[in-house]
């Protein structure tokens, strides 16, 4: 549903995919890329990475990378740690060892994973948004799907153009 919304509204996104989800839905990776979106690694099991030791962090990142490679044929270039908006030295070391030179963070947390009403997701997005912001939204939450068209419309009305990480960081 999210990919259909972004297609209808001509809005590219960056999907930081959990490897176990890609493993269960291997065709979705190619669908994401074919839609003009970015695909990145968001670990394999979505564990709270700040609580992992180096070996555990490396395993999560490498398994996520393997799932992406199985889905689309390459590792892709973006990694975002799970369970935290920021990385730490252990996460960065594990990411670099896996071939990811940067850990992507976000500055706008919609809290959509807590399943608030769609209107709260929109409000949480718009109250902290600025040019260059990275917004955290999650697949698998119905109210995120409901909120997404309004978020995109409000962003565009505010003069902001949603882009992929590739465009943002280039």
């Amino acid at each position: 549903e999210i990919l259909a919304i972004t297609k209808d509204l001509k809005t590219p996104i960056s999907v930081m995919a959990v490897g176990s989800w890609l493993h269960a839905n291997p065709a979705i990776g190619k669908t994401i890329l074919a839609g003009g979106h970015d695909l990145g690694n968001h670990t394999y099991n979505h564990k709270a990475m700040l609580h992992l030791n180096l070996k555990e962090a490396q395993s999560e990142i490498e398994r996520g990378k393997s799932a992406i490679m199985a889905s689309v044929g390459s590792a892709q270039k973006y990694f975002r740690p799970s369970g935290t908006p920021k990385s730490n030295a252990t996460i960065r070391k594990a990411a670099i060892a896996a071939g990811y030179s940067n850990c992507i963070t976000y500055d706008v947390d919609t809290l959509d994973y807590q399943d608030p009403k769609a209107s709260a997701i929109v409000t949480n997005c718009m109250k902290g948004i600025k040019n260059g912001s990275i917004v955290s939204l999650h697949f698998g939450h119905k109210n995120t799907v409901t909120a997404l068209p309004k978020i995109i419309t409000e962003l565009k009305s505010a003069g902001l153009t949603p882009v992929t990480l590739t465009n943002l960081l280039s």
Side-chain angles (χ1 to χ4, degrees):
E1 289 177 286
I2 287 174
L3 295 176
I5 291 166
T6 59
K7 181 179 180 179
D8 289 346
L9 296 175
K10 296 176 179 52
T11 302
I13 61 174
S14 296
V15 178
M16 307 312 284
V18 174
S20 58
W21 175 71
L22 272 179
H23 181 80
N25 304 283
I28 195 75
K30 288 182 180 173
T31 301
I32 289 166
L33 293 177
H37 310 293
D38 283 341
L39 178 65
N41 183 346
H42 193 42
T43 72
Y44 190 81
N45 290 305
H46 203 267
K47 293 181 179 180
M49 291 200 74
L50 290 177
H51 304 292
L52 302 181
N53 63 38
L54 181 60
K55 184 178 177 183
E56 293 166 328
Q58 286 174 323
S59 176
E60 277 296 301
I61 296 168
E62 286 290 347
R63 289 183 71 203
K65 178 180 175 180
S66 293
I68 291 172
M69 290 178 72
S71 177
V72 300
S74 68
Q76 302 298 294
K77 60 182 173 182
Y78 300 115
F79 168 73
R80 186 173 89 69
S82 54
T84 177
K86 305 216 184 290
S87 64
N88 62 17
T90 300
I91 294 168
R92 288 188 296 275
K93 186 173 183 178
I96 288 168
Y100 297 101
S101 59
N102 293 301
C103 293
I104 301 300
T105 62
Y106 57 89
D107 63 311
V108 177
D109 191 350
T110 63
L111 303 174
D112 65 328
Y113 59 89
Q114 295 177 358
D115 295 318
K117 292 180 180 180
S119 60
I121 296 169
V122 174
T123 298
N124 290 341
C125 178
M126 297 310 295
K127 73 180 177 187
I129 202 79
K130 62 184 181 302
N131 191 35
S133 283
I134 296 177
V135 178
S136 176
L137 291 164
H138 294 80
F139 279 45
H141 295 269
K142 185 62 181 160
N143 289 338
T144 302
V145 174
T146 302
L148 189 57
K150 181 118 172 108
I151 288 171
I152 293 169
T153 301
E154 287 199 19
L155 289 171
K156 291 179 179 180
S157 291
L160 299 170
T161 303
V163 297
T164 61
L165 286 167
T166 299
N167 289 344
L168 180 66
L169 300 175
S170 62

